[in-house]
Coordinates of all heavy atoms in Angstrom, one line a residue:
E65 N -1.6 -3.4 86.6 CA -2.2 -3.0 85.2 C -3.7 -3.1 85.3 O -4.3 -4.0 84.7 CB -1.5 -3.8 84.1 CG 0.0 -3.7 83.9 CD 0.6 -4.6 83.0 OE1 -0.1 -5.0 82.1 OE2 1.9 -4.7 83.0
V66 N -4.4 -2.3 86.0 CA -5.7 -2.3 86.1 C -6.5 -1.7 84.9 O -6.0 -0.6 84.5 CB -6.1 -1.5 87.3 CG1 -7.7 -1.5 87.5 CG2 -5.5 -2.1 88.6
P67 N -7.5 -2.3 84.3 CA -8.0 -1.7 83.1 C -8.8 -0.4 83.6 O -9.3 -0.3 84.6 CB -9.0 -2.7 82.6 CG -9.2 -3.6 83.9 CD -8.0 -3.6 84.6
T68 N -8.8 0.6 82.5 CA -9.6 1.9 82.9 C -10.7 1.9 81.8 O -11.8 1.8 82.1 CB -8.7 3.1 82.9 OG1 -7.9 3.1 81.8 CG2 -7.9 3.1 84.2
S69 N -10.3 2.1 80.6 CA -11.2 2.1 79.5 C -11.5 0.9 78.9 O -11.3 0.6 77.6 CB -10.6 3.1 78.4 OG -9.4 2.7 77.9
G70 N -11.7 -0.1 79.7 CA -12.2 -1.4 79.2 C -11.1 -2.4 78.9 O -9.9 -2.0 78.9
I71 N -11.4 -3.7 78.9 CA -10.6 -4.7 78.6 C -10.6 -5.1 77.2 O -11.6 -5.4 76.6 CB -10.9 -6.0 79.5 CG1 -10.9 -5.7 80.9 CG2 -9.9 -7.1 79.2 CD1 -11.5 -6.8 81.8
P72 N -9.4 -5.1 76.5 CA -9.4 -5.3 75.1 C -10.0 -6.7 74.8 O -9.9 -7.6 75.4 CB -7.9 -5.4 74.8 CG -7.3 -4.6 75.7 CD -8.0 -4.8 77.0
L73 N -10.9 -6.7 73.7 CA -11.6 -7.9 73.3 C -10.8 -9.1 73.0 O -11.3 -10.2 73.1 CB -12.7 -7.6 72.2 CG -13.7 -6.5 72.4 CD1 -14.4 -6.2 71.1 CD2 -14.6 -6.8 73.6
K74 N -9.5 -8.9 72.7 CA -8.6 -9.9 72.3 C -8.5 -10.9 73.5 O -7.9 -12.0 73.4 CB -7.4 -9.5 71.7 CG -6.4 -8.7 72.7 CD -5.3 -8.3 72.0 CE -4.4 -7.4 73.1 NZ -3.1 -7.0 72.4
H75 N -8.7 -10.4 74.7 CA -8.4 -11.1 75.9 C -9.7 -12.0 76.3 O -9.7 -12.8 77.2 CB -8.1 -10.3 77.2 CG -6.9 -9.6 77.0 ND1 -5.7 -10.2 76.7 CD2 -6.5 -8.2 77.0 CE1 -4.8 -9.2 76.6 NE2 -5.2 -8.0 76.9
L76 N -10.8 -11.9 75.6 CA -11.9 -12.5 75.9 C -11.9 -14.0 75.4 O -11.2 -14.4 74.4 CB -13.2 -12.0 75.2 CG -13.7 -10.7 75.7 CD1 -14.9 -10.2 74.9 CD2 -13.9 -10.7 77.1
S77 N -12.5 -15.0 76.1 CA -12.5 -16.4 75.7 C -13.1 -16.5 74.4 O -14.1 -15.8 74.0 CB -13.4 -17.3 76.7 OG -13.5 -18.5 76.1
K78 N -12.5 -17.2 73.6 CA -12.9 -17.4 72.1 C -14.4 -18.1 72.0 O -15.0 -18.3 71.1 CB -12.0 -18.3 71.2 CG -10.7 -17.4 71.0 CD -9.7 -18.1 70.2 CE -8.3 -17.4 70.1 NZ -8.5 -15.9 69.7
K79 N -14.7 -18.7 73.2 CA -16.0 -19.4 73.2 C -17.3 -18.6 73.5 O -18.4 -19.0 73.4 CB -16.0 -20.5 74.4 CG -15.0 -21.6 74.2 CD -15.1 -22.7 75.3 CE -13.9 -23.7 75.0 NZ -14.0 -24.7 76.2
I80 N -17.0 -17.3 73.6 CA -18.1 -16.2 74.0 C -18.7 -15.9 72.6 O -18.0 -15.6 71.6 CB -17.5 -15.0 74.6 CG1 -17.0 -15.4 76.0 CG2 -18.7 -14.0 74.8 CD1 -16.4 -14.2 76.6
P81 N -20.0 -16.1 72.3 CA -20.6 -15.9 71.0 C -20.6 -14.3 70.8 O -20.5 -13.4 71.7 CB -22.2 -16.2 71.4 CG -22.1 -17.0 72.6 CD -20.9 -16.6 73.3
Q82 N -20.6 -14.0 69.5 CA -20.5 -12.6 69.1 C -21.6 -11.8 69.5 O -21.6 -10.6 69.8 CB -20.4 -12.5 67.5 CG -20.1 -11.2 66.9 CD -18.8 -10.5 67.4 OE1 -17.8 -11.4 67.6 NE2 -18.7 -9.3 67.7
S83 N -22.7 -12.3 69.6 CA -23.9 -11.7 70.1 C -23.8 -11.2 71.5 O -24.3 -10.1 71.9 CB -25.3 -12.4 70.0 OG -25.2 -13.7 70.7
T84 N -23.2 -12.1 72.2 CA -22.8 -11.6 73.7 C -21.8 -10.6 73.9 O -21.9 -9.7 74.7 CB -22.4 -12.9 74.6 OG1 -23.4 -13.9 74.5 CG2 -22.1 -12.5 75.9
I85 N -20.7 -10.6 72.9 CA -19.8 -9.7 72.9 C -20.3 -8.2 72.7 O -20.0 -7.3 73.3 CB -18.6 -10.1 71.9 CG1 -17.9 -11.2 72.4 CG2 -17.8 -8.8 71.7 CD1 -16.8 -11.7 71.4
E86 N -21.4 -8.3 71.7 CA -21.9 -7.0 71.4 C -22.7 -6.4 72.6 O -22.8 -5.2 72.8 CB -22.9 -7.1 70.2 CG -22.2 -7.5 68.9 CD -21.2 -6.4 68.5 OE1 -21.4 -5.1 68.6 OE2 -20.0 -6.7 68.1
E87 N -23.1 -7.3 73.4 CA -24.0 -6.8 74.6 C -23.0 -6.2 75.8 O -23.4 -5.3 76.4 CB -24.8 -7.9 75.2 CG -26.0 -8.4 74.4 CD -26.7 -9.4 75.1 OE1 -27.5 -8.9 76.1 OE2 -26.8 -10.5 74.8
V88 N -21.8 -6.7 75.7 CA -20.9 -6.3 77.0 C -19.8 -5.4 76.4 O -18.8 -5.3 77.1 CB -20.2 -7.6 77.5 CG1 -21.3 -8.4 78.2 CG2 -19.4 -8.4 76.5
K89 N -20.0 -4.9 75.3 CA -18.9 -4.0 74.7 C -19.3 -2.5 74.9 O -20.4 -2.1 74.7 CB -18.8 -4.1 73.2 CG -17.6 -3.5 72.5 CD -17.4 -4.0 71.1 CE -18.6 -3.8 70.2 NZ -18.2 -4.2 68.7
C90 N -18.3 -1.7 75.4 CA -18.6 -0.4 75.7 C -18.7 0.4 74.4 O -17.8 0.3 73.5 CB -17.4 0.1 76.5 SG -17.5 2.0 76.8
P91 N -19.9 1.2 74.2 CA -19.9 1.9 72.9 C -19.1 3.2 72.8 O -19.1 3.8 71.8 CB -21.4 2.4 73.1 CG -21.7 2.5 74.5 CD -20.9 1.4 75.1
I92 N -18.2 3.4 73.8 CA -17.2 4.5 73.7 C -15.9 4.0 73.2 O -15.1 4.4 72.3 CB -17.1 5.3 74.9 CG1 -18.6 5.9 75.3 CG2 -16.1 6.4 74.9 CD1 -18.6 6.7 76.5
C93 N -15.3 3.0 74.0 CA -14.0 2.5 73.8 C -14.0 1.3 73.0 O -13.0 0.7 72.5 CB -13.3 2.2 75.1 SG -13.9 0.9 76.1
Y94 N -15.2 0.6 72.8 CA -15.4 -0.8 72.0 C -14.6 -1.8 72.7 O -14.3 -2.8 72.0 CB -14.9 -0.5 70.5 CG -15.8 0.7 70.0 CD1 -15.1 1.8 69.6 CD2 -17.0 0.5 69.7 CE1 -15.9 2.7 69.0 CE2 -17.8 1.5 69.0 CZ -17.2 2.7 68.7 OH -17.9 3.8 68.1
N95 N -14.3 -1.7 73.9 CA -13.7 -2.9 74.7 C -14.7 -3.5 75.6 O -15.8 -2.9 75.7 CB -12.5 -2.4 75.5 CG -11.3 -2.0 74.7 OD1 -11.1 -2.6 73.5 ND2 -10.6 -1.0 75.1
L96 N -14.3 -4.6 76.2 CA -15.2 -5.1 77.3 C -15.5 -4.2 78.4 O -14.4 -3.6 79.0 CB -14.7 -6.4 77.9 CG -15.4 -7.1 78.9 CD1 -16.8 -7.5 78.5 CD2 -14.5 -8.3 79.6
I97 N -16.6 -3.8 78.7 CA -17.0 -2.8 79.8 C -16.4 -3.2 81.2 O -16.3 -4.3 81.5 CB -18.4 -2.6 79.9 CG1 -19.0 -2.1 78.7 CG2 -18.6 -1.7 81.0 CD1 -20.6 -2.2 78.7
W98 N -15.5 -2.2 81.6 CA -15.0 -2.4 83.0 C -15.6 -1.4 84.0 O -15.6 -0.1 83.6 CB -13.5 -2.3 83.0 CG -12.8 -2.6 84.3 CD1 -12.2 -1.6 85.0 CD2 -12.7 -3.8 85.0 NE1 -11.8 -2.2 86.2 CE2 -12.0 -3.6 86.1 CE3 -13.1 -5.1 84.7 CZ2 -11.7 -4.6 87.1 CZ3 -12.7 -6.1 85.5 CH2 -12.1 -5.8 86.7
D99 N -15.9 -1.9 85.2 CA -16.6 -0.9 86.1 C -17.9 -0.3 85.5 O -18.0 0.9 85.1 CB -15.7 0.3 86.5 CG -16.1 0.9 87.8 OD1 -17.0 0.5 88.4 OD2 -15.4 2.0 88.2
I100 N -18.9 -1.2 85.4 CA -20.1 -1.0 84.7 C -20.9 0.1 85.2 O -21.4 0.1 86.5 CB -20.9 -2.2 84.6 CG1 -20.1 -3.4 84.2 CG2 -22.2 -2.2 83.5 CD1 -20.8 -4.8 84.6
V101 N -21.4 1.0 84.5 CA -22.4 2.1 84.8 C -23.4 2.2 83.6 O -23.0 1.8 82.6 CB -21.9 3.4 85.2 CG1 -21.0 3.4 86.5 CG2 -21.0 4.1 84.0
A102 N -24.7 2.7 84.0 CA -25.7 2.7 83.0 C -26.4 4.0 83.0 O -26.5 4.7 83.9 CB -26.8 1.6 83.1
C103 N -26.9 4.5 81.8 CA -27.6 5.7 81.7 C -29.1 5.2 82.1 O -29.7 4.3 81.6 CB -27.6 6.1 80.3 SG -29.0 7.4 80.0
N104 N -29.7 5.9 83.2 CA -31.0 5.5 83.7 C -32.2 5.9 82.7 O -33.2 5.6 82.9 CB -31.2 6.0 84.9 CG -31.5 7.5 85.2 OD1 -31.2 8.2 84.2 ND2 -31.7 8.0 86.3
S105 N -31.8 6.6 81.6 CA -32.9 7.0 80.6 C -33.0 5.9 79.6 O -34.2 5.4 79.2 CB -32.5 8.3 79.9 OG -32.5 9.3 80.8

């Protein structure tokens, strides 16, 4: 069961600050980013 469109946020440790979660959340699927790529612009 390999993630494709991100790892559901419910699986994250509850100790992770919300500000950090916002940084690591995919703006498309709204899950934790998996297999990270970036727009170079």
Side-chain angles (χ1 to χ4, degrees):
E65 297 177 21
V66 179
T68 51
S69 58
I71 300 170
L73 297 180
K74 66 181 181 180
H75 293 308
L76 293 183
S77 168
K78 297 187 184 303
K79 295 181 180 180
I80 299 176
Q82 185 61 37
S83 58
T84 301
I85 292 176
E86 292 302 319
E87 289 186 75
V88 297
K89 185 167 65 174
C90 175
I92 297 176
C93 69
Y94 303 108
N95 291 323
L96 174 65
I97 297 172
W98 183 254
D99 200 5
I100 314 162
V101 292
C103 169
N104 70 353
S105 295

